Amino acid sequence: MGNNQDIEVLIALMAKLPGLGPRSARRAVLQLIKRRDILLAPLADALFNVAQSARECTNCGNIGTADICEICTNPKRAIAQICVVEDVADLWAMERSGVFKGRYHVLGGSLSALDGIGPDELRIPHLVNRTKGENITEVILALNATVDGQTTAHYIADQLEDQDISVTSLAQGVPIGGELDYLDDGTISAALNARKAV
Amino acid sequence: MGNNQDIEVLIALMAKLPGLGPRSARRAVLQLIKRRDILLAPLADALFNVAQSARECTNCGNIGTADICEICTNPKRAIAQICVVEDVADLWAMERSGVFKGRYHVLGGSLSALDGIGPDELRIPHLVNRTKGENITEVILALNATVDGQTTAHYIADQLEDQDISVTSLAQGVPIGGELDYLDDGTISAALNARKAV
Ligand SMILES: [Zn+2]
Ligand SMILES: [Zn+2]
């Protein structure tokens, strides 16, 4: 290629990131080199900082800088509500909405017979322990509206059945601003089945 | 967000890369943290290495590790042919095709009345100097098949008119409006082999 090896190594690593293939990795690396002072050097620093500081919260599975994350230690967050999500990305999406004021539990995926992922591969036993140890009144299942996500929701609801906890899930329906013509059939069916009086 | 600041900074920087928006930057950062040892740490190292070693070849404008790049110093490359490209990404695309065995000249863009880019903003005077100093017999214009690219090609051909140099351009086969970096290797090979006098 006429590149030097450092650049080849960087392109190969960048190409492993989700959303970047080999071509966009090359473009990104050229962009980085062109903007060395304002992009390349700061990015290298930021990666080192995150490599040293990032850790998984031992309580909820969120990613932060301490053994127990900022959400779990925040005294202003309601301790009686746990919102269960599949992934940290989902936790961040919930936080961006700014509506939920309780705490989280990140499962680390969803049950999948196909991929051989059972309850013990996820943090489901840990969730059940939390509901017993902490004074939880509601568990909100914010799982993906996929077959695996819904299977996982039902499994968790079963596990919590014998406790005095309200288990709820996000409503399904037409997204705000959504146009029917652009929605898939499953969403429309769900919205129709969950219809309510105006 | 419940993230720590290091992570926020990293997401913001990643979102500036071409091909990554805020959402894909968040996903990339989560992926990096999950694969800390095999992806995050190596990527931080690779960025530092490139930040320290990468430099622009003072002769041709390619990016390498030395003041004069590997292509310019390679004794096996034909010294009588210069292939003129707009950008380093185009040089890399030419190299991937493996057909061209001469040397390059990276302009750093194309002439654009709209963007106020004239010959002196590009490396065109430097190209003219090279054709006088080195024993060049052919200048191959491998510019994008855009209006600006073709304007630039004609301008360069005019500048070289009084020298005994064959000025050629890539054959039709480069689609109109096409950019070299997005072409497959076969198309680039075919266009180079069928090049003709301007
Ligand atoms: Zn936590
Ligand atoms: Zn060079």
Side-chain angles (χ1 to χ4, degrees), chain B residues 103-119:
Chain B
R103 294 180 182 172
Y104 290 94
H105 193 81
V106 180
L107 294 177
S110 55
L111 294 174
S112 168
L114 215 62
D115 298 329
I117 299 177

Side-chain angles (χ1 to χ4, degrees), chain B residues 114-155:
Chain B
L114 215 62
D115 298 329
I117 299 177
D120 293 339
E121 274 74 48
L122 304 177
R123 299 157 62 88
I124 292 177
H126 186 71
L127 172 65
V128 174
N129 282 343
R130 280 186 71 183
T131 58
K132 287 173 180 162
E134 306 174 24
N135 284 320
I136 307 301
T137 58
E138 181 176 7
V139 169
I140 301 167
L141 302 174
L143 304 180
N144 291 333
T146 57
V147 172
D148 284 346
Q150 296 313 298
T151 302
T152 309
H154 287 298
Y155 179 85

Side-chain angles (χ1 to χ4, degrees), chain B residues 2 5 21 37 40 56 60 68 72 109 118 129 141 162 164 167 196:
Chain B
Q5 212 188 336
D37 294 337
L40 207 176
E56 200 174 71
C60 75
I68 306 290
C72 285
N129 282 343
L141 302 174
D162 57 348
D164 186 20
V167 179
K196 48 184 185 172

Side-chain angles (χ1 to χ4, degrees), chain A residues 186-198:
Chain A
T187 302
I188 292 178
S189 308
L192 183 67
N193 289 332
R195 69 189 178 277
K196 46 184 185 173
V198 177

Side-chain angles (χ1 to χ4, degrees), chain A residues 57 59-62 68-72:
Chain A
C57 175
N59 189 47
C60 76
N62 185 21
I68 305 290
C69 78
E70 286 175 17
I71 293 176
C72 285

Side-chain angles (χ1 to χ4, degrees), chain A residues 1-7 9-11 13-14 16-20 23-24 26-36 38-56 62-65 69-71 87-92 95-96, chain B residues 1-4 6-7 9-11 13-14 16-20 23-24 26-36 38-40 42-55 62-65 70-71 87-89 91-92 95-96 179 181-184:
Chain A
M1 296 259 305
N3 300 341
N4 70 69
Q5 212 189 337
D6 289 343
I7 296 175
V9 167
L10 180 56
I11 291 171
L13 285 166
M14 294 287 286
K16 289 183 183 173
L17 294 178
L20 289 179
R23 171 164 290 143
S24 45
R26 283 193 297 269
R27 292 195 163 270
V29 167
L30 279 174
Q31 196 64 241
L32 282 166
I33 293 171
K34 281 179 191 165
R35 305 170 71 194
R36 189 185 311 229
I38 60 167
L39 197 52
L40 207 177
L43 184 58
D45 285 337
L47 283 166
F48 265 106
N49 291 341
V50 168
Q52 288 183 339
S53 69
R55 64 198 63 193
E56 200 175 74
N62 185 21
I63 285 170
T65 47
C69 78
E70 286 175 17
I71 293 176
D87 201 84
V88 175
D90 302 326
L91 187 163
W92 291 358
E95 283 296 284
R96 284 198 298 281
Chain B
M1 297 257 306
N3 301 339
N4 70 69
D6 289 342
I7 296 176
V9 167
L10 179 55
I11 291 171
L13 286 166
M14 294 287 287
K16 290 183 183 172
L17 294 177
L20 287 181
R23 171 164 288 140
S24 44
R26 283 193 297 268
R27 293 198 161 269
V29 168
L30 279 174
Q31 195 65 240
L32 283 166
I33 294 172
K34 281 180 192 165
R35 303 170 72 194
R36 187 185 312 228
I38 60 167
L39 197 50
L40 207 176
L43 184 58
D45 286 338
L47 283 166
F48 265 108
N49 291 341
V50 168
Q52 289 184 339
S53 68
R55 62 198 65 191
N62 184 21
I63 285 170
T65 46
E70 288 176 14
I71 293 176
D87 199 83
V88 175
L91 187 162
W92 291 359
E95 284 295 283
R96 285 197 299 280
E179 297 184 14
D181 194 30
Y182 287 91
L183 292 181
D184 63 297

